[in-house]
Amino acid sequence: MALHLVGDTIDKTRSHYQAETGKLVQLMRGVYVGADDDIDATVLKHAVRIAKYLYPRAYLSAASAVFLGPTRDGRLFLSGRRNKRTRIRALEIIQNEVPKHPSLVAAVVDDGMGEFRIDVSSVRQRFLEAFRLRSEHAGSIDEAMREAIAAHLMEEFGSPTAAADAVWTLARENEWYREGEYAERFLLRSPATSPVRNEAAFDLIVAWHGVRIGNLVHDGVEWRWTPTPGSGPPVVRQTTPGKLPPFIVSLLPEGWLEAVLKDRDERAKLRSGRRYMSNIAIVEREPELAALPPETLLTRLEQYAANGVFTGAYAGPGRGDMEQSFERSLARIYERADTPRLSGIQIKAPMYLDISGTISPSTGKPFTHILKPAGTSGFESLPVIEWTALELGRAAGFAVPPAALVAMPDGMPPALLVERFDIRESVEDKRLIALEDFCSVLDLPTEAKYDGTTERVAKAVRQLSTAPEEDVLIVIKRALFAWLIADGDMHLKNLALLKIAEPGDEQFRSVRMAPLYDAVTTRVFPRLQRDRLALTLNGKDARLHRADFRTLAGTAGLKAADTDAAIGDMIQRMKEAAGRISLPELPGSGPEDRAITAKMLEIVRTRIESLE
């Protein structure tokens, strides 16, 4: 039996022992699956049984009352005592508050572990649930399902009027007057006529690796996401009806690029560009997809890098003969819609490294690398500090994408070139890859990226990762690394999950913590000398001690001895690396770069000593 529920199919002592010996994997308190099983498939297959175990007083509602199971994208809808969301790997249980006088019927479900009974919304209540405003439950019931429920009610009660009366009776009992009005209109509506079209409305095609996965529609008021059936793992999910899905929000430009594009709102941003991170394309017409280049890594940076310096040819923007600003030159490449859009505040450019070793803007070309030029007003050394941070991370044992410093034209300071890790690695590579940052994972707006906690990230990772013990430990080590290098910018958009599937999969095979990226010592820059951690840990964002990381490990469900050993090993690695890493020689790098790097490494050494 693949699913184990403490008190139902296994006792507490045995479940704990088998989890300790690696035979079972704990998903939540009391919920275990076999370590050798397909965990995502198991969770989805037994979704209703798990929900009944966790929330015995709740009942299936909305689309789940129709399917007696989760929707294709892994959402299971319940109604219970309060609004609540629970993520368990590929399953998301979405619970809203039960009405005063629910109308329920008993259903029988058999998921291969035997039959069991569970309450579900009656047909009348389902119909009212379909008309609730700004309700994700209502959004799960599409037009075809509404029509089917309406036909069922009219057949049961004999006429549209009688059906409307019956629905109104239930609506009044629960004070769902608005829902009753909309339901009545639907039942008594006149034969359909051609609707008047709002010319401001539009329908965008969202593709992943060049294949349509759904449509993003704006009717002039709200957004609606409609996934394409059979399009593979659910990359995009609309968690708040009427709002842009959080995964799409995570792709949109911020900061400098947002100002350059001068797009007034989300609608304008999405219509001005076509290419985004995570192998996503968003277009208005299907033929536009064929014109976009595939995002495939054909040339590796290591072929054209030595001792941390790019040895190929730079063919990107510069200041030019007229000494115009570099930012203005860089902004020009974004005038074309086929230039990939990037999120994040820092100035950066999408680049393509070809087989000859030339790096150039990826306008009309594959997007394989990211160029991060120097900043201004005291941030000129940002690329060399980030390069040093990535080298420290590599030495500490993290997965880190290849990176190299680039000598820039027109006397500009060096830039940093980083290889993408979220794209296919060859033309033979058919993997389906998506990168989802933790603002999207936790369903938070971009402006809330500094409002999270490390504990909340660890909890989400345990629920979603296909290797939860390893990835929760990585979260703790990432928090430790951010503290040791004084990185005050490790926020929720600088942590992400890397999801991988194979063609034909309905769920991701691998969901793991993404490699280290956007790491930087913020305390060495102007006005940031007192910068603190972006995500609190053990309720603190400064003055951390080794005990704080032990406490975090305990909260995250890790063994204290294993965590302490991992922390000790990482500290030792970083101590050795801080003594040997040095800035490479390259044009445009002056004594200021060496001075600020030395200051950074001194901070690292001081913090390491405080934790030894």
Side-chain angles (χ1 to χ4, degrees), residues 288-300:
E288 295 177 61
L289 290 176
L292 298 178
E295 312 293 24
T296 305
L297 187 64
L298 300 177
T299 308
R300 296 186 177 276

Side-chain angles (χ1 to χ4, degrees), residues 355-590:
I355 57 173
S356 70
T358 299
I359 191 82
S360 59
S362 53
T363 304
K365 305 173 186 175
F367 172 24
T368 61
H369 293 76
I370 298 174
L371 182 78
K372 299 183 174 185
T376 58
S377 304
F379 290 83
E380 289 81 2
S381 297
L382 185 58
V384 300
I385 292 298
E386 184 171 347
W387 177 85
T388 307
L390 293 178
E391 289 303 301
L392 281 171
R394 210 182 306 277
F398 293 110
V400 181
L405 292 167
V406 180
M408 298 292 282
D410 306 323
M412 291 188 296
L416 179 68
L417 189 64
V418 182
E419 191 161 276
R420 288 184 65 185
F421 54 79
D422 63 329
I423 57 174
R424 292 169 173 169
E425 297 180 353
S426 68
V427 292
E428 292 80 21
D429 186 357
K430 302 302 180 184
R431 293 175 302 159
L432 305 170
I433 308 170
L435 183 71
E436 184 175 13
D437 68 47
F438 272 86
C439 270
S440 174
V441 170
L442 299 175
D443 193 18
L444 294 172
T446 298
E447 55 269 22
K449 62 186 177 183
Y450 290 99
D451 297 342
T453 67
T454 309
E455 287 83 355
R456 189 175 180 187
V457 171
K459 180 181 178 181
V461 167
R462 181 168 289 284
Q463 293 174 342
L464 300 174
S465 170
T466 51
E469 296 293 314
E470 294 176 38
D471 277 344
V472 169
L473 182 57
I474 289 175
V475 171
I476 294 172
K477 291 169 69 176
R478 288 287 298 274
L480 174 61
F481 183 71
W483 171 246
L484 292 177
I485 71 169
D487 183 355
D489 205 42
M490 193 193 77
H491 50 66
L492 293 175
K493 286 189 70 65
N494 284 342
L495 291 168
L497 293 175
L498 189 64
K499 303 179 175 184
I500 301 175
E502 296 290 340
D505 289 349
E506 285 298 309
Q507 300 295 330
F508 288 102
R509 296 192 182 190
S510 171
V511 178
R512 299 296 310 273
M513 280 295 294
L516 178 72
Y517 65 93
D518 284 1
V520 64
T521 298
T522 54
R523 281 205 167 201
V524 296
F525 294 106
R527 302 177 298 281
L528 297 176
Q529 291 87 347
R530 298 182 183 278
D531 207 19
R532 295 167 176 257
L533 287 180
L535 305 178
T536 60
L537 184 157
N538 197 22
K540 300 163 66 175
D541 60 6
R543 303 178 187 233
L544 295 180
H545 304 284
R546 195 157 180 163
D548 293 306
F549 295 96
R550 292 192 184 111
T551 300
L552 172 62
T555 303
L558 296 181
K559 296 178 183 177
D562 292 347
T563 305
D564 213 41
I567 289 174
D569 177 67
M570 179 177 157
I571 289 174
Q572 183 60 36
R573 285 168 174 256
M574 288 190 65
K575 184 177 181 179
E576 295 172 1
R580 71 170 184 267
I581 289 177
S582 61
L583 198 61
E585 296 282 348
L586 76 164
S589 179

Side-chain angles (χ1 to χ4, degrees), residues 32 89 144 352 389 417 518:
Y32 295 81
R89 295 292 291 270
Y352 169 56
L417 189 64
D518 284 1

